[in-house]
Amino acid sequence: MAGEHSTVDRFGGVLGPAQRERAWAELGEQRFDIVVVGGGVVGVGTALDAATRGLKVALVEARDLASGTSSRSSKLFHGGLRYLEQLEFGLVREALRERELMLTRLAPHLVKPVSFLYPLTNRVWERPYTAAGLFLYDTMGGARSVPGQKHLTRAGALRLVPALKRDALIGGIRYFDAQADDARHTMTVARTAAHYGAVVRTSTQVVGFLREADRVVGVRVRDVEDGRETDVRAEAVINCTGVWTDELQRVSGSRGRFRVRASKGVHIVVPRDRIIAESGLILRTEKSVLFVIPWRNHWIVGTTDTEWNLDLAHPAATRADIDYILEHVNTVLARPLTHDDIEGVYAGLRPLLAGESEETSKLSREHAVARVAPGLVAIAGGKYTTYRVMAADAVDAAAVDLPGRLQPSITDRVPLLGADGYHALVNQADLLAQRHALHPYRVRHLLDRYGSLLHEVLDLAKDRPDLLKPLDAAPDYLRVEAVYAASHEGALHLEDVLARRTRISIEYPHRGIDSARQAADLVGDVLGWDEAARAHEVDIYLARVEAERASQSQADDAAADASRIAAPEARPRLEDLIPR
């Protein structure tokens, strides 16, 4: 019953092989208050929200945590400065509050301040106009935990970003937002939900809905690794599948209350030394804005904003998308970027609520939630930054189907795993480095990925000091991180490790190919892969990289999509439930 199931899981939020098998049994044997469908940030946030209200919760995801939009964003927690121009003050204020919570209380180990320079090009109106917008940004909450705006002359702006052409600006304004590794953040929210008792299971696809009369009373799921199926019964089902919202709605047989359109956003990754700068950039384009975002030893440059009507699981970047980004960023760079500079490319789909405008950049970033049938709630739209608010709204909408009184949301006071003790460990980084014979820089890097879970990671290397060596051809990551991804973080395939638990697939020119065999051996030791399975995982991953590279040389979406979907799926029994 609602309100009677608050618990802390005995696995402590570990998503590993033992937990996975137990979770399958629980899905079939227990009756849940809520089943959440979708392992993106909104889905895992909903599971955490419901679990911490004392509800009995299950979350199922057909692929991997954050395998869709939630690993392919601009990796920013931001108020949405440009939404001020659209007069969406409520959305900006809400997002800034969420950014503040992440930086200070909920995820300081994962979410960090990031500086941006806004170059000014008009001497008359632009500085007061932009300053007024940034003043609103700051007063709405933007300057609580990060510095406020700072005005710069042309000389000052060029000192901050020497890479700019001198004639590309007449001055600038520096302001701050925040950033995070989106896939790692989403996975940590999922682990936190599991820590508070949610049953979290990936590679578990909804293939049908259970009904009693006109009421949805659960889902039928398939383990896409081995083909097993079971029924999962619940008082309410919440559809948090993002760009798949309409597809799942059709599977349920219920008529949706809103329509979701997919907008493709492409980003490129280039080495840090290709753009000499101490700050990121935000540039106006004729359609939207373009970000140049500091990302460890790299820059992320993007994004595009175009409608996408093809394969939802594997959106493909085209040559035209990449050319668009290069053309626009090169208008301001003294040393232009070329295709040869690109280390990685990724494409993601934004789930936008369909509106009257045909231009996707003008579709609403607001979210919508609806009880589309008794026992079935759907939520879509929104933006990564406001996932926690969306999750609370989704659980509130399911209240009418739950027995007992629903407790209020408390996730604004629930730090994510790894947050508690993080600041003290940062102060102790030198001592930790001595204890584990690591460079202090390495320890700080690990702390910003795992927070106080660092001890769990390093404990795996107690009897295997070789695990504290870097992965082949990916020196930013230790071998123990691949092991931990499989033993604690729910990774089931090589792709999960190279594309999401680490970001090797976009941070190195080899896109993970040169690390694949060693990573497969490390993960295979945890998951029990034989030699044939290890070789198969490597082959699947190499085919993914080859298909992505091929798609990025195509001229249009149709050709790029055909190239990308030619690669086999890592999860062999996934089905397209709505054939196109």
Side-chain angles (χ1 to χ4, degrees):
M1 299 289 286
E4 296 179 359
H5 301 286
S6 183
T7 182
V8 174
D9 183 80
R10 69 180 176 85
F11 280 85
V14 173
L15 301 179
Q19 174 275 340
R20 178 173 173 77
E21 202 48 46
R22 189 192 72 164
W24 181 258
E26 290 183 326
L27 288 177
E29 294 168 1
Q30 299 190 23
R31 185 177 183 94
F32 296 90
D33 291 315
I34 288 175
V35 170
V36 179
V37 184
V41 73
V42 176
V44 298
T46 300
L48 176 59
D49 186 273
T52 53
R53 295 196 202 201
L55 299 176
K56 193 167 185 59
V57 186
L59 178 141
V60 292
E61 159 59 43
R63 290 176 171 82
D64 184 29
L65 296 168
S67 58
T69 304
S70 295
S71 61
R72 306 175 192 184
S73 73
S74 295
K75 317 204 184 311
L76 294 175
F77 271 87
H78 63 123
L81 186 59
R82 66 194 177 98
Y83 303 140
L84 285 177
E85 283 191 301
Q86 300 168 11
L87 306 182
E88 297 196 51
F89 300 116
L91 181 62
V92 174
R93 183 179 292 108
E94 179 179 83
L96 286 171
R97 177 176 183 267
E98 293 305 306
R99 191 193 73 182
E100 172 80 5
L101 281 170
M102 292 296 155
L103 281 167
T104 59
R105 185 188 302 171
L106 304 185
H109 55 315
L110 302 175
V111 182
K112 307 292 180 184
V114 60
S115 161
F116 287 101
L117 174 71
Y118 182 94
L120 299 170
T121 57
N122 186 288
R123 290 190 180 277
V124 179
W125 61 268
E126 194 175 19
R127 190 182 289 274
Y129 176 79
T130 307
L134 282 166
F135 175 76
L136 270 176
Y137 203 62
D138 289 347
T139 54
M140 282 180 176
R144 285 198 193 117
S145 54
V146 299
Q149 62 173 297
K150 182 177 181 180
H151 287 247
L152 300 168
T153 63
R154 175 192 278 167
L158 289 171
R159 279 195 297 272
L160 188 66
V161 185
L164 291 172
K165 294 176 183 173
R166 183 171 178 79
D167 62 0
L169 73 168
I170 55 100
I173 304 177
R174 185 187 197 182
Y175 76 98
F176 281 79
D177 256 317
Q179 71 175 169
D181 182 331
D182 47 7
R184 173 149 295 279
H185 173 267
T186 296
M187 181 274 300
T188 305
V189 178
R191 286 192 59 189
T192 307
H195 175 74
Y196 287 104
V199 176
V200 175
R201 201 171 195 275
T202 59
S203 284
T204 306
Q205 184 177 23
V206 170
V207 294
F209 283 74
L210 309 180
R211 287 182 173 272
E212 290 178 4
D214 67 339
R215 182 181 179 82
V216 172
V217 294
V219 291
R220 183 157 187 85
V221 298
R222 175 184 300 136
D223 184 324
V224 298
E225 303 294 337
D226 59 25
R228 291 179 290 175
E229 293 191 7
T230 193
D231 289 340
V232 186
R233 299 197 168 271
E235 305 294 340
V237 176
I238 302 182
N239 176 1
C240 299
T241 54
V243 293
W244 285 274
T245 299
D246 294 353
E247 278 71 5
L248 195 72
Q249 204 65 54
R250 289 200 287 273
V251 172
S252 76
S254 302
R255 180 170 179 165
R257 300 287 179 84
F258 43 77
R259 193 163 60 88
V260 175
R261 283 171 55 184
S263 167
K264 183 178 69 167
V266 173
H267 296 79
I268 64 172
V269 182
V270 300
R272 196 65 179 262
D273 63 5
R274 297 301 190 274
I275 301 174
I276 306 303
E278 297 299 318
S279 171
L281 289 168
I282 178 171
L283 307 170
R284 280 184 176 274
T285 72
E286 66 277 9
K287 296 179 181 177
S288 183
V289 295
L290 193 76
F291 285 105
V292 179
I293 305 164
W295 180 255
R296 297 196 281 270
N297 299 321
H298 320 269
W299 297 98
I300 293 174
V301 188
T303 180
T304 61
D305 200 345
T306 55
E307 190 167 1
W308 177 265
N309 295 306
L310 300 166
D311 182 57
L312 296 177
H314 306 296
T318 65
R319 175 90 179 192
D321 293 326
I322 297 168
D323 286 344
Y324 170 89
I325 294 171
L326 290 175
E327 176 189 343
H328 282 80
V329 75
N330 284 341
T331 61
V332 300
L333 293 181
R335 192 180 98 180
L337 296 175
T338 70
H339 285 270
D340 291 339
D341 293 322
I342 296 173
E343 295 174 303
V345 179
Y346 63 94
L349 298 178
R350 305 176 191 88
L352 304 181
L353 297 176
E356 295 179 1
S357 171
E358 290 303 307
E359 298 177 50
T360 61
S361 63
K362 294 181 181 176
L363 294 180
S364 177
R365 262 60 170 185
E366 294 275 12
H367 66 271
V369 60
R371 183 172 178 259
V372 295
L376 179 61
V377 167
I379 185 164
K383 51 195 289 238
Y384 194 107
T385 304
T386 55
Y387 81 90
R388 198 192 59 78
V389 177
M390 294 175 67
D393 286 351
V395 176
D396 286 344
V400 66
D401 293 305
L402 301 175
R405 177 176 172 272
L406 183 64
Q407 299 294 329
S409 175
I410 60 164
T411 51
D412 60 340
R413 288 166 280 159
V414 179
L416 301 186
L417 290 186
D420 285 339
Y422 163 72
H423 294 294
L425 288 171
V426 170
N427 289 342
Q428 297 170 354
D430 290 348
L431 293 174
L432 289 168
Q434 291 175 21
R435 187 181 307 160
H436 295 282
L438 292 169
H439 193 283
Y441 170 83
R442 177 77 71 183
V443 171
R444 292 185 180 93
H445 178 64
L446 291 170
L447 283 170
D448 288 344
R449 286 173 51 72
Y450 304 97
S452 55
L453 297 178
L454 170 78
H455 297 301
E456 278 186 358
V457 180
L458 295 178
D459 281 350
L460 294 177
K462 271 185 177 175
D463 300 319
R464 291 189 57 188
D466 61 301
L467 292 181
L468 294 183
K469 294 179 180 178
L471 271 169
D472 287 349
D476 282 346
Y477 299 96
L478 299 179
R479 298 172 190 178
V480 72
E481 296 185 75
V483 174
Y484 187 78
S487 64
H488 287 68
E489 296 180 340
L492 298 176
H493 293 278
L494 180 60
E495 174 187 321
D496 303 346
V497 176
L498 297 180
R500 287 175 288 277
R501 302 307 182 279
T502 69
R503 309 318 294 265
I504 292 171
S505 67
I506 62 170
E507 291 178 344
Y508 294 91
H510 59 76
R511 310 278 176 98
I513 286 176
D514 295 349
S515 310
R517 179 64 214 205
Q518 185 183 54
D521 285 338
L522 293 165
V523 172
D525 289 345
V526 177
L527 299 181
W529 295 344
D530 60 16
E531 176 54 35
R534 295 170 196 227
H536 178 69
E537 286 286 331
V538 172
D539 288 344
I540 292 283
Y541 185 78
L542 298 188
R544 166 200 164 107
V545 173
E546 182 181 349
E548 287 185 345
R549 282 179 166 158
S551 72
Q552 290 155 19
S553 66
Q554 303 299 325
D556 56 55
D557 282 349
D561 180 65
S563 295
R564 179 60 185 89
I565 63 175
E569 283 277 4
R571 290 164 166 79
R573 292 177 175 84
L574 268 173
E575 286 189 13
D576 188 349
L577 301 177
I578 307 290
R580 295 181 180 274

